[in-house]
Amino acid sequence: ARGHLFSPLLTSCYVLHCSCLTFVDSSPVHLSSCFSFFFFIVFLGSWEAALRHKRSWVWNQFFVLEEYTGNEPLYVGKLHSDVDGGDGKVKYVLSGEGAASIFTIDENTGDIHATKRLDREAQAYYTLQAQAVDRVTNQPVEPRSEFVVKVQDINDNEPKFLDGPYMAGVPEMSPLGTMVVQVAATDADDPTYGNSARVIYSIIHGQPYFSVEPRTGIIRTALPNMDRETRDQYVLVIQAKDMVGQMGGLSGTTSVTVTLTDVNDNPPRFTHKNYQNTVLESLPVHSVVARVKAADADVGPNAEMDYRLMDGDYLGLFNISTDEETQEGVIVLLKPLDFETKSSFSLRIEATNRNIDSNFLSVGPFSDLAVVKLTVEDVNEPPVFSTPLLKMVVSEDARMGTSIGRVSAHDPDSTNSGIRYSIDRNTDLERFFNVDALSGVISTAKPLDREANSVHNLTLLAIESQDPTQIGKGIALITVLDINDNAPVFAIDYETLLCENAMPGQLIQTISAVDKDEPPSGHRFYFSLASPVAGNLNFTLRDNKDNTASILTKRGGFRRREQPVYRLPVLIVDSGSPALSSTNTLALRVCDCDADGVAMSCGAVAYTATGLSTGALLAILGCILTLLIMVLLIVTMRGRRKTPLILEEERDIRENIVRYDDEGGGEEDTEAFDMVALRNLNAMHADLGARRDVTPDTPTFFRYPPPQQQFIWDRLKVADVDPSAPPYDSLQTYAFEGSGSVAESLSSLESLSSDSEHSYDYLSNWGPRFKKLADLYGNGDAAAASSVSVFS
């Protein structure tokens, strides 16, 4: 077969070189032996080439060292075809992974070179295709073939602990060689070539307590009986080195934190063998008497312990339990202490580990004993009743002062003080009972009523005579016995309906009774009709002998028109001694009933048969509604009428006239005037200048001229129809402007002695406030007024 020839000599030499390197790395040999082997291979290859037949392609795997750092492209191998006669007519073409970018080929010679540094950890091999083509026609002269370029590994990656740092635990007191944890390091180099990925483990820090197996990475204890109570944690540094740990190899480290876990190798021990405690005699039951604790160097469940009281005369008086949080023994009082009976106790207490490890029984007993001595201190105790709860009975009809029973108390102290008795009145607010202060005899103080209160719960007080602050308490339950003092009555208020069509002998009502009394043998009631109606012709009563009675009709044909209601007196007698009775009235209403006896209407019937139809009623209601609307309209219109400004006689108390007619104090001089001048408007209209309230001291020389008079009259009418004007009229006369005014005096008193005309031309110079006066008087009219009156 024709094909390419991959130089056998070059291939063999390259393989031999790699093999020698591998051989030398694994075990040292003489270099001369390797070269001898090399020449033998070359000779064998030449001899084989002379004997074999010619073939087109001879392929083998190409090798390229990774991380090549030379300046020139790295030679990979050579391609050659038997068709190539060396005349340049054959061209070699390379394609596939990395062709042209990483690998190049000399198209004339077939030499392959790597132009870039290769990383085996990124890609371990490349698959390429080679072909020989005619240079002129570009037609293949050999079929396309495939070959592989493998990247040869070098030691360029250090071992790494991907799971580190490690946390591990081992029980304390473990035997020598106990496994703690296994660590593992990985090396990215090729594990199938050389020793680049062969890792050896060693311990850098942590000796002599721990060791590590070089090939497996298993960490074991190196010392026996390591005590957690002495040291509970160790930090180890583990190293992993490739090249089987030889010099020049790469390494990586990690830390391993080893914690000694606790075992129960320490028994509990009391710090003292004897404890002293003092307790008051008055200590309440279930109170804590003392706390003790046995020390245990262990932790967690290994330090848990139970306490118990050893045999003694104190059993039943005290109890001990374990406080789960503090692991203390808590001694609790179960019964009251009595100094006078026993003043001291000696308690023997045992503490035992709850969880005992059988591997450490040789350490010693996992329990310890201690003695707690309790001294009881005497206190002044209150009196104690001989019977804390005393029950008594008294009849309901007992007279005042009747003795019911007697209570007794004593002082428990050695002083044996005297006792005085009393009743806590909060439990006997109505003071039904008394107690003798010295003897303790309880008696009635008021009449009793069992129906109001059948049991009295009294709190009795026993007070020491020497120390009144010491008060003992007891309870007296007094039950009031019943007597027959209440008559029976109807059980409920009956509403009895009697149909008009009732037949003779028909049952219309069943009645029963109640009695507030409670006889020992129960109630028994007797029913009958009272004597006034015992022989009536309408109804009869039948005693059912079971504390009920039935009311029956004697006749039929009842009519509401004749009698709408019947009242039947019923006599009820109880079985008490003496027997009591009462008369209760049963009302029977006559009703119109349907065929089934269901009442349709009851009571009296109106005798007038005439009535109003619905239309008539609606018409009447419409008329009434219309009248109401008209009344409301009239009232509303009258309320809107304007109240006259001229008030009636009885409303004149707020009307006032203020006069200013002298040269004196101006506005400070005021005087009330009569309102008559304001009531008679006609008179005012005829003569506004006349003063009718006082007699003038001097005659009036001037009259209002017609223009001024008409102006004032017009202003008065405007004020009358003004809805915002005050509800009364006020006439004020201004004769002098007062001090400080630019107008000075407005009075004409100075011209009284002269009949000459007075000039008012200066009013035009006083400003806009006097414009109206200037229009009225500024024309030089000789008939100027002596005063100006203004209505408001």
Side-chain angles (χ1 to χ4, degrees):
R2 300 179 59 199
H4 291 286
L5 177 62
F6 173 48
S7 175
L9 179 60
L10 180 61
T11 303
S12 300
C13 292
Y14 189 80
V15 172
L16 177 61
H17 169 70
C18 296
S19 301
C20 289
L21 289 177
T22 304
F23 181 72
V24 170
D25 287 339
S26 59
S27 61
V29 296
H30 294 292
L31 186 60
S32 59
S33 299
C34 186
F35 279 111
S36 299
F37 183 72
F38 170 75
F39 287 118
F40 173 75
I41 293 299
V42 171
F43 173 77
L44 182 62
S46 301
W47 178 74
E48 181 184 5
L51 294 179
R52 67 186 177 184
H53 297 286
K54 186 171 73 172
R55 57 185 178 178
S56 300
W57 288 97
V58 178
W59 290 104
N60 209 332
Q61 193 172 28
F62 290 92
F63 294 89
V64 179
L65 285 177
E66 69 169 328
E67 304 294 345
Y68 173 73
T69 59
N71 296 326
E72 298 295 332
L74 178 64
Y75 181 75
V76 177
K78 184 180 181 62
L79 298 178
H80 183 70
S81 174
D82 294 341
V83 179
D84 186 5
D87 53 3
K89 294 181 180 181
V90 176
K91 181 174 66 174
Y92 297 95
V93 178
L94 187 67
S95 62
E97 292 181 310
S101 61
I102 299 176
F103 300 101
T104 62
I105 188 171
D106 189 326
E107 62 180 16
N108 296 319
T109 62
D111 292 334
I112 302 174
H113 291 82
T115 61
K116 294 183 178 179
R117 295 175 58 181
L118 302 180
D119 186 4
R120 189 202 65 85
E121 287 71 38
Q123 186 167 347
Y125 61 90
Y126 297 84
T127 302
L128 299 170
Q129 293 83 34
Q131 192 172 27
V133 299
D134 186 272
R135 185 178 298 274
V136 177
T137 63
N138 209 29
Q139 294 297 319
V141 297
E142 297 286 352
R144 183 187 300 272
S145 297
E146 192 173 79
F147 66 97
V148 173
V149 177
K150 185 176 181 181
V151 182
Q152 190 70 35
D153 181 54
I154 65 171
N155 189 18
D156 60 343
N157 291 278
E158 74 277 4
K160 294 182 179 180
F161 293 90
L162 301 181
D163 297 330
Y166 294 85
M167 302 291 293
V170 63
E172 64 172 329
M173 311 302 289
S174 294
L176 179 67
T178 302
M179 178 180 173
V180 179
V181 69
Q182 183 176 14
V183 297
T186 59
D187 195 315
D189 294 324
D190 189 357
T192 63
Y193 176 75
N195 295 323
S196 298
R198 296 179 62 184
V199 177
I200 295 297
Y201 300 95
S202 62
I203 183 168
I204 298 178
H205 185 272
Q207 298 158 326
Y209 306 102
F210 299 92
S211 63
V212 61
E213 294 182 358
R215 296 187 178 277
T216 63
I218 296 177
I219 300 174
R220 300 182 183 275
T221 57
L223 290 179
N225 302 327
M226 286 190 292
D227 191 5
R228 185 200 64 84
E229 288 72 34
T230 302
R231 182 178 176 182
D232 63 348
Q233 194 174 84
Y234 300 83
V235 178
L236 315 180
V237 177
I238 305 298
Q239 182 188 66
K241 190 174 183 180
D242 59 13
M243 298 299 291
V244 202
Q246 296 179 4
M247 184 177 298
L250 303 178
S251 64
T253 61
T254 187
S255 65
V256 180
T257 302
V258 180
T259 301
L260 297 183
T261 58
D262 186 58
V263 298
N264 192 7
D265 60 338
N266 293 279
R269 292 291 180 262
F270 284 104
T271 56
H272 302 87
K273 293 300 181 182
N274 293 282
Y275 297 86
Q276 295 283 346
N277 279 79
T278 302
V279 60
L280 293 176
E281 177 188 13
S282 59
L283 187 70
V285 175
H286 303 302
S287 298
V288 176
V289 175
R291 286 176 174 265
V292 294
K293 184 177 182 180
D296 193 326
D298 297 320
V299 294
N302 297 320
E304 294 177 356
M305 60 190 71
D306 295 319
Y307 297 87
R308 71 183 185 94
L309 294 175
M310 308 297 286
D311 294 338
D313 58 354
Y314 45 76
L315 295 180
L317 186 61
F318 301 96
N319 186 36
I320 188 169
S321 60
T322 303
D323 187 331
E324 297 299 335
E325 293 185 0
T326 62
Q327 293 300 313
E328 292 179 310
V330 182
I331 304 174
V332 178
L333 181 66
L334 297 181
K335 294 180 181 179
L337 297 173
D338 187 5
F339 172 82
E340 289 72 25
T341 303
K342 189 173 180 63
S343 60
S344 66
F345 298 89
S346 182
L347 311 181
R348 295 176 62 243
I349 300 174
E350 181 185 43
T352 306
N353 267 147
R354 189 175 298 171
N355 305 301
I356 300 176
D357 192 340
S358 58
N359 295 324
F360 301 97
L361 291 177
S362 59
V363 177
F366 284 81
S367 63
D368 198 16
L369 293 175
V371 176
V372 178
K373 293 184 178 180
L374 295 177
T375 302
V376 181
E377 289 188 354
D378 186 28
V379 296
N380 189 9
E381 300 173 89
V384 178
F385 281 89
S386 56
T387 305
L389 178 61
L390 187 63
K391 296 182 179 181
M392 304 177 183
V393 295
V394 61
S395 178
E396 185 178 8
D397 61 347
R399 296 182 179 181
M400 289 186 298
T402 300
S403 176
I404 302 174
R406 183 177 181 274
V407 295
S408 175
H410 68 281
D411 184 5
D413 298 319
S414 56
T415 56
N416 196 18
S417 175
I419 305 298
R420 296 181 62 84
Y421 301 96
S422 66
I423 296 176
D424 184 355
R425 290 303 175 183
N426 291 324
T427 60
D428 186 26
L429 296 176
E430 299 185 18
R431 296 180 177 268
F432 285 107
F433 304 95
N434 287 327
V435 62
D436 188 271
L438 298 178
S439 64
V441 175
I442 300 175
S443 59
T444 59
K446 292 173 65 176
L448 303 177
D449 185 4
R450 187 205 64 83
E451 288 70 36
N453 194 351
S454 60
V455 178
H456 296 266
N457 189 341
L458 304 183
T459 298
L460 301 174
L461 306 178
I463 306 171
E464 284 189 14
S465 300
Q466 296 180 2
D467 185 3
T469 61
Q470 299 299 322
I471 302 174
K473 292 184 179 182
I475 302 297
L477 289 178
I478 302 176
T479 302
V480 181
L481 300 179
D482 184 47
I483 63 172
N484 192 24
D485 59 344
N486 290 278
V489 296
F490 278 156
I492 60 174
D493 293 333
Y494 292 99
E495 182 180 4
T496 305
L497 304 179
L498 173 63
C499 291
E500 290 181 319
N501 56 0
M503 304 300 293
Q506 182 175 335
L507 174 65
I508 58 175
Q509 186 67 63
T510 299
I511 59 176
S512 61
V514 293
D515 194 329
K516 293 182 180 180
D517 297 319
E518 292 184 358
S521 59
H523 289 290
R524 175 68 178 92
F525 300 118
Y526 304 93
F527 299 88
S528 63
L529 293 178
S531 56
V533 297
N536 75 91
L537 302 178
N538 298 319
F539 308 98
T540 184
L541 183 143
R542 181 180 66 204
D543 193 335
N544 297 324
K545 308 301 182 181
D546 59 355
N547 290 342
T548 65
S550 300
I551 306 297
L552 307 171
T553 59
K554 278 188 176 182
R555 67 177 181 88
F558 294 95
R559 297 291 181 266
R560 288 188 297 161
R561 298 181 184 279
E562 298 175 359
Q563 185 171 347
V565 179
Y566 291 88
R567 302 190 182 277
L568 192 64
V570 178
L571 178 66
I572 309 175
V573 182
D574 62 16
S575 57
S577 181
L580 296 180
S581 64
S582 67
T583 301
N584 300 265
T585 300
L586 181 67
L588 299 94
R589 298 175 59 195
V590 182
C591 301
D592 181 20
C593 303
D594 58 11
D596 296 328
V598 178
M600 304 299 292
S601 59
C602 303
V605 180
Y607 287 97
T608 58
T610 60
L612 294 176
S613 63
T614 304
L617 291 176
L618 293 176
I620 293 174
L621 292 176
C623 293
I624 295 174
L625 183 60
T626 303
L627 291 175
L628 290 175
I629 293 174
M630 293 177 64
V631 171
L632 290 175
L633 291 174
I634 294 173
V635 171
T636 304
M637 293 178 64
R638 295 189 62 183
R640 292 184 177 180
R641 294 178 58 185
K642 180 176 179 65
T643 303
L645 297 178
I646 303 302
L647 305 179
E648 288 77 8
E649 183 71 26
E650 62 273 9
R651 297 174 63 187
D652 288 347
I653 57 176
R654 297 189 63 182
E655 296 176 346
N656 188 26
I657 298 177
V658 182
R659 184 186 65 184
Y660 300 89
D661 59 353
D662 59 357
E663 295 292 331
E667 293 182 4
E668 296 178 359
D669 294 337
T670 62
E671 183 178 352
F673 289 89
D674 192 3
M675 295 292 107
V676 177
L678 295 177
R679 294 196 195 100
N680 193 346
L681 297 180
N682 294 327
M684 292 174 59
H685 186 273
D687 188 3
L688 290 175
R691 294 288 304 277
R692 302 180 184 275
D693 50 348
V694 295
T695 302
D697 296 334
T698 59
T700 301
F701 295 94
F702 301 97
R703 284 297 203 183
Y704 287 113
Q708 293 87 337
Q709 180 177 343
Q710 184 62 36
F711 167 74
I712 295 176
W713 180 248
D714 293 339
R715 295 298 298 270
L716 179 60
K717 288 195 293 183
V718 171
D720 287 340
V721 297
D722 186 4
S724 61
Y728 57 88
D729 292 329
S730 176
L731 176 65
Q732 297 180 350
T733 302
Y734 298 90
F736 183 67
E737 186 66 18
S739 62
S741 174
V742 296
E744 298 180 355
S745 176
L746 300 178
S747 174
S748 58
L749 297 178
E750 297 177 357
S751 59
L752 290 179
S753 60
S754 174
D755 293 334
S756 62
E757 294 183 354
H758 188 75
S759 175
Y760 294 97
D761 294 337
Y762 56 83
L763 291 175
S764 301
N765 300 326
W766 286 1
R769 294 185 179 182
F770 296 92
K771 183 178 185 302
K772 190 63 179 178
L773 288 177
D775 294 341
L776 297 176
Y777 293 92
N779 53 7
D781 190 352
S786 63
S787 65
V788 179
S789 297
V790 179
F791 291 90
S792 62

